[in-house]
Amino acid sequence: MSKLIHVAAAAIFNDSGELLLALRDKAQHQGGLWEFPGGKVEPGEEVRSALARELQEELGIEIDQSATVPLIQVPFHYPDKSVLLDVFRVNRFMGQPYGREGQPLNWVKLADLSGYPFPAANTPIVNALQLPTALAITPRLLSVQYCEYIDKALQKGAQAVMLRAKHLTETEQLNLYQQLAEAFPELLLIWNGSMDAANRAEVTALHLSSERLMQLNSRKTYRGRWLGASCHTEEQIRRAEQIGADYITLSPVQKTASHPEVTPMGWAEYSRLVRLSSLPVYALGGVSLADLEQTLQAGGQGIAAIRCFC
Ligand SMILES: Nc1nc2c([nH]c(=O)n2[C@@H]2O[C@H](COP(=O)(O)OP(=O)(O)OP(=O)(O)O)[C@@H](O)[C@H]2O)c(=O)[nH]1
Ligand SMILES: [Mg+2]
């Protein structure tokens, strides 16, 4: 396999929360498609310096490094070359961006990103931008208690909720899912269950256990939008990438009260696996909102937790 070309790229946001895209020239690799501005890291160059240099060269802006946060690293193999896209979220910059190389630019709302044709390597970047950073996983409750639980979790900072209710029958879980989806129409509500049942019930966000993940070879039969999976090992991460999952949770990062007998992987191993994975990776297991900053700095997607949102 050819050597990975290290590329620094930026998801640049303006004060209205819009994102800057540039159109790649027809003559370039992956030409005619939209990109996150950036370019190749030179030998011996720091990736953040490369990012600042490329954005100055391509857009004429100066980025504020203190408001520049790692978003995701995507290793990707095209038939003709292999790239490692090292993507940062740039929340502040100086100057008015313009296409210094004549490339057209567009400020785009996050919800409209899916309408833009991107190079294939960009799929996980778009997912990372559209997925939240704080995911609450429901504890074991009575069916009537879930509405109140979600209200409280949202107040505490959760931005999405995974309904994990294995103590209920599948039919009960799906009925509950529909009720909650109606009660919280704006919420990303993920069901932890099986693909067949999710398709039958038209669930649009599904999370697979690691066991279910390892039984799948492709997501092709899935009719929903979001597909996530629980991973604990490198092999499971590989399978999640292979089937085309949109995100994974990786656990246990730290010791948890629910599984005291399991040895956690720790933050160093979490960071290593995040770098190795091309997907958005939530840290799970003994983590809370207090760990969010550390998770993002490690290039993770965010935190997933049960306890801290109760
Ligand atoms: N900048 C950028 N490059 C991307 C994206 N997605 C993607 O696959 N790439 C690939 O990453 C590689 C490097 O990007 P680049 O062409 O911007 O490099 P550069 O600015 O140094 O250009 P140059 O070599 O023409 O001087 C290209 O092969 C490109 O196809 C993206 O979103 N942004
Ligand atoms: Mg470039």
Side-chain angles (χ1 to χ4, degrees):
M1 206 159 279
S2 55
K3 197 176 160 300
L4 279 184
I5 299 167
H6 195 183
V7 176
I12 304 166
F13 285 88
N14 65 16
D15 292 341
S16 315
E18 293 163 327
L19 186 61
L20 189 63
L21 298 182
L23 187 60
R24 291 183 70 77
D25 190 83
K26 284 252 159 42
Q28 286 180 298
H29 181 245
Q30 298 292 306
L33 299 173
W34 291 85
E35 68 162 16
F36 298 100
K40 298 178 195 75
V41 180
E42 288 172 359
E45 192 179 30
E46 287 277 336
V47 61
R48 278 175 175 269
S49 311
L51 188 72
R53 176 182 52 71
E54 285 287 343
L55 298 184
Q56 182 59 250
E57 286 171 10
E58 294 186 358
L59 305 171
I61 59 169
E62 189 185 330
I63 60 172
D64 180 345
Q65 291 283 5
S66 71
T68 297
V69 192
L71 177 70
I72 190 169
Q73 285 194 328
V74 184
F76 192 88
H77 304 285
Y78 290 108
D80 55 343
K81 65 167 86 170
S82 296
V83 292
L84 173 65
L85 300 180
D86 208 336
V87 191
F88 290 77
R89 180 190 284 269
V90 173
N91 292 314
R92 232 180 3 250
F93 57 87
M94 279 70 80
Q96 185 58 40
Y98 66 102
R100 286 186 79 183
E101 296 165 347
Q103 72 280 33
L105 303 180
N106 251 4
W107 286 105
V108 178
K109 291 193 184 67
L110 270 183
D112 297 337
L113 269 186
S114 319
Y116 285 77
F118 287 107
N122 289 33
T123 304
I125 308 173
V126 173
N127 284 335
L129 286 164
Q130 291 182 332
L131 284 167
T133 56
L135 171 62
I137 301 175
T138 57
R140 190 184 171 123
L141 298 170
L142 299 173
S143 292
V144 292
Q145 295 175 312
Y146 281 91
C147 247
E148 195 185 327
Y149 163 81
I150 292 180
D151 267 331
K152 213 191 303 165
L154 295 178
Q155 275 170 34
K156 289 189 174 182
Q159 299 159 330
V161 174
M162 184 196 302
L163 176 64
R164 184 175 182 276
K166 292 181 190 288
H167 58 297
L168 304 177
T169 66
E170 193 167 74
T171 309
E172 286 169 337
Q173 291 177 39
L174 286 165
N175 285 339
L176 181 57
Y177 181 92
Q178 302 302 358
Q179 280 170 27
L180 295 173
E182 276 167 35
F184 299 93
E186 303 297 321
L187 177 68
L188 173 59
L189 182 65
I190 303 168
W191 181 52
N192 187 313
S194 78
M195 195 175 277
D196 284 348
N199 280 337
R200 278 198 306 276
E202 298 183 1
V203 165
T204 54
L206 173 67
H207 187 90
L208 302 168
S209 64
S210 54
E211 202 178 346
R212 286 189 169 121
L213 166 69
M214 294 312 278
Q215 288 162 0
L216 270 185
N217 289 314
S218 157
R219 72 176 285 165
K220 285 211 176 84
T221 53
Y222 176 53
R223 293 203 293 269
R225 161 65 181 96
W226 293 107
L227 183 63
S230 293
C231 294
H232 316 288
T233 65
E234 217 170 300
E235 186 195 5
Q236 291 164 355
I237 295 174
R238 291 288 170 238
R239 179 61 66 93
E241 291 174 340
Q242 187 195 322
I243 68 159
D246 297 309
Y247 74 88
I248 59 170
T249 58
L250 186 57
S251 66
V253 177
Q254 306 209 84
K255 235 182 173 37
T256 66
S258 52
H259 302 90
E261 73 291 353
V262 181
T263 310
M265 69 184 75
W267 285 107
E269 177 66 357
Y270 171 77
S271 305
R272 186 185 76 83
L273 291 172
V274 163
R275 275 197 300 279
L276 190 134
S277 162
S278 62
L279 302 174
V281 183
Y282 288 96
L284 170 64
V287 302
S288 73
L289 279 174
D291 301 303
L292 184 56
E293 189 53 37
Q294 174 172 2
T295 311
L296 297 178
Q297 288 301 334
Q301 177 65 28
I303 59 112
I306 302 176
R307 220 156 272 261
C308 82
F309 296 113
C310 288

